[in-house]
Amino acid sequence: LYLSSKSNMAFTLYSLIQAVILCVNAVAVLHEERFLSKIGWGVDQSIGGFGDEPGIKVQLMNLVRSVRTVMRVPLIAVNSVCIVLLLLFG
Amino acid sequence: MDMDYTATQSGFTQYPKLRMRNTSKDGTDPSQLFDDTSAAPGVEPAGFPGQGVGAMGYPGQTLLSDPVSNLAMAYGSSLASQGKDLVDKNLDRFLPISKLKYYFAVDTVYVGKKLGLLVFPYMHQNWEVSYQQDTPVAPRFDINAPDLYIPAMGFITYILVSGLALGTQNRFTPEILGMQASSALVWLIMEVLAVLLSLYLVTVNTDLTTIDLVAFSGYKYVGMIVGVVAGLLFGRTGYYLTLLWCCISIFIFMIRTLRLKLLSEAAAQGVLIHGARNQLRMYLTMSIAAAQPIFMYWLTYHLVG
């Protein structure tokens, strides 16, 4: 029973960084008006209920909003660097 | 400044230049230099600092060559200490070194007891972490405190043991060690990130830090090593039996440890409290604990052929 030694999908730190960049990009392109409000995940729909119990959906919406606010500018730089590196080194 | 230093010692040709640049910048630097040298040992051992500063006004002209070397040494050491302070201050922003030191404050007795607890947690009664005036006690004094020594050593030993296991199957190349290491590290990082995300979503108010989570995720390497070694010695059945034992042990260990940290006070005592929030927290604890055996199997089954 000869198993391949790469049966853990050969994770490297580089693939982790790539995955993280892709996920953050995916969160950053969610548009506030066109998409998030339509499915009830908009900013105005998360404020309310000031009890001690935000709930998972509100936490997720807050997370999406904060990721989009914080990572907008650094993502420009990181994406540019990624594009240049991929063009140069394949 | 006169340059008759060249007559003294040949090794110090750079220092006079440094001194000249320094003294030409502003007038306060030479006095600071002289303060350092007056405090440096070997120049004024008896300690008349005021008189020492006065006497060291222009050392190159009146004193012998020895104070020049002391001066250079003191200047170099003050520069080095300034650089060290700068590096420490900046490094402390990214990597909390002082907090890390707490996690490595272990001794042999603690390591032995903790390893025994990781494979046999059934007899242990008191799982509380003891505090000392608001800060947790060092792991040396409290067996329930998380540490980073065992996870770090376990990680390295896991990589070595996996190399050994692959070697017995004639599948070993030196690159595999690096691949195993980065693969296990990536799984660890992903697990810690997933736990952090779920802790954020469930709004648990806990004092678990990221390093605590890394420590808890690293405890499963002990079980993995024991399983793989048993698999090497006793074949597949030995591997499966030992892995089953270690999986159940780490499951119980994680539940008992996390219960006190994640659940509310009353629920941690064992009283069943019905409420959506406590239920969610219980599910979270169970899923974190259940992820450990899954990872243990996933990371070792390809090693035992």
Side-chain angles (χ1 to χ4, degrees), chain B residues 109-293:
Chain B
V109 174
Y110 170 82
V111 171
K113 281 197 199 162
K114 192 87 181 195
L115 288 177
L117 202 64
L118 281 170
V119 292
F120 198 77
Y122 309 108
M123 306 291 291
H124 194 71
Q125 301 296 335
N126 180 25
W127 292 84
E128 291 253 349
V129 179
S130 42
Y131 284 86
Q132 182 198 14
Q133 294 163 350
D134 224 23
T135 60
V137 176
R140 196 174 294 151
F141 306 114
D142 177 27
I143 193 180
N144 292 318
D147 70 312
L148 275 182
Y149 175 78
I150 292 181
M153 292 294 134
F155 183 74
I156 297 176
T157 315
Y158 162 73
I159 296 171
L160 295 176
V161 166
S162 72
L164 181 71
L166 288 175
T168 58
Q169 300 169 23
N170 295 326
R171 278 197 272 147
F172 181 79
T173 68
E175 291 89 26
I176 286 191
L177 279 183
M179 286 303 308
Q180 286 282 336
S182 52
S183 192
L185 196 66
V186 162
W187 280 115
L188 182 76
I189 292 176
M190 289 209 300
E191 184 186 348
V192 170
L193 284 180
V195 171
L196 274 175
L197 182 69
S198 48
L199 279 180
Y200 171 75
L201 288 181
V202 180
T203 61
V204 170
N205 284 328
T206 177
D207 54 350
L208 280 180
T209 64
T210 315
I211 309 185
D212 281 338
L213 293 175
V214 172
F216 286 136
S217 301
Y219 280 144
K220 62 172 165 314
Y221 290 120
V222 177
M224 288 200 283
I225 295 166
V226 173
V228 174
V229 168
L232 284 177
L233 292 175
F234 304 117
R236 284 199 91 108
T237 50
Y239 164 69
Y240 280 128
L241 286 175
T242 327
L243 198 70
L244 193 67
W245 175 268
C246 290
C247 284
I248 298 179
S249 305
I250 202 94
F251 185 70
I252 303 282
F253 177 86
M254 292 296 291
I255 285 197
R256 286 201 181 160
T257 309
L258 288 178
R259 191 170 59 165
L260 291 168
K261 300 251 178 183
L262 293 183
L263 299 182
S264 54
E265 275 292 327
Q269 305 294 334
V271 178
L272 279 177
I273 297 190
H274 292 284
R277 201 157 165 231
N278 279 318
Q279 219 177 15
L280 209 54
R281 286 181 173 188
M282 181 53 97
Y283 282 151
L284 178 68
T285 317
M286 303 278 281
S287 48
I288 294 178
Q292 310 288 317

Side-chain angles (χ1 to χ4, degrees), chain B residues 1-181:
Chain B
M1 289 289 127
D2 63 334
M3 298 292 289
D4 61 348
Y5 299 143
T6 53
T8 59
Q9 292 184 23
S10 60
F12 289 100
T13 47
Q14 5 171 337
Y15 292 107
K17 291 204 205 74
L18 273 177
R19 271 205 67 233
M20 243 190 65
R21 269 211 305 270
N22 212 10
T23 53
S24 64
K25 263 199 293 194
D26 52 339
T28 60
D29 261 348
S31 60
Q32 186 179 7
L33 267 182
F34 298 148
D35 279 340
D36 276 344
T37 57
S38 70
V43 177
E44 290 281 339
F48 285 100
Q51 199 177 11
V53 169
M56 296 279 289
Y58 288 97
Q61 296 172 1
T62 53
L63 302 178
L64 303 172
S65 65
D66 236 2
V68 173
S69 66
N70 286 328
L71 198 69
M73 238 173 26
Y75 177 66
S77 71
S78 82
L79 201 64
S81 70
Q82 280 175 13
K84 183 168 155 356
D85 285 339
L86 199 69
V87 166
D88 278 345
K89 192 162 56 92
N90 277 340
L91 193 61
D92 209 31
R93 271 193 293 169
F94 297 117
L95 212 64
I97 298 274
S98 50
K99 280 192 248 172
L100 272 183
K101 277 191 194 165
Y102 158 79
Y103 287 97
F104 284 101
V106 295
D107 61 346
T108 324
V109 174
Y110 170 82
V111 171
K113 281 197 199 162
K114 192 87 181 195
L115 288 177
L117 202 64
L118 281 170
V119 292
F120 198 77
Y122 309 108
M123 306 291 291
H124 194 71
Q125 301 296 335
N126 180 25
W127 292 84
E128 291 253 349
V129 179
S130 42
Y131 284 86
Q132 182 198 14
Q133 294 163 350
D134 224 23
T135 60
V137 176
R140 196 174 294 151
F141 306 114
D142 177 27
I143 193 180
N144 292 318
D147 70 312
L148 275 182
Y149 175 78
I150 292 181
M153 292 294 134
F155 183 74
I156 297 176
T157 315
Y158 162 73
I159 296 171
L160 295 176
V161 166
S162 72
L164 181 71
L166 288 175
T168 58
Q169 300 169 23
N170 295 326
R171 278 197 272 147
F172 181 79
T173 68
E175 291 89 26
I176 286 191
L177 279 183
M179 286 303 308
Q180 286 282 336

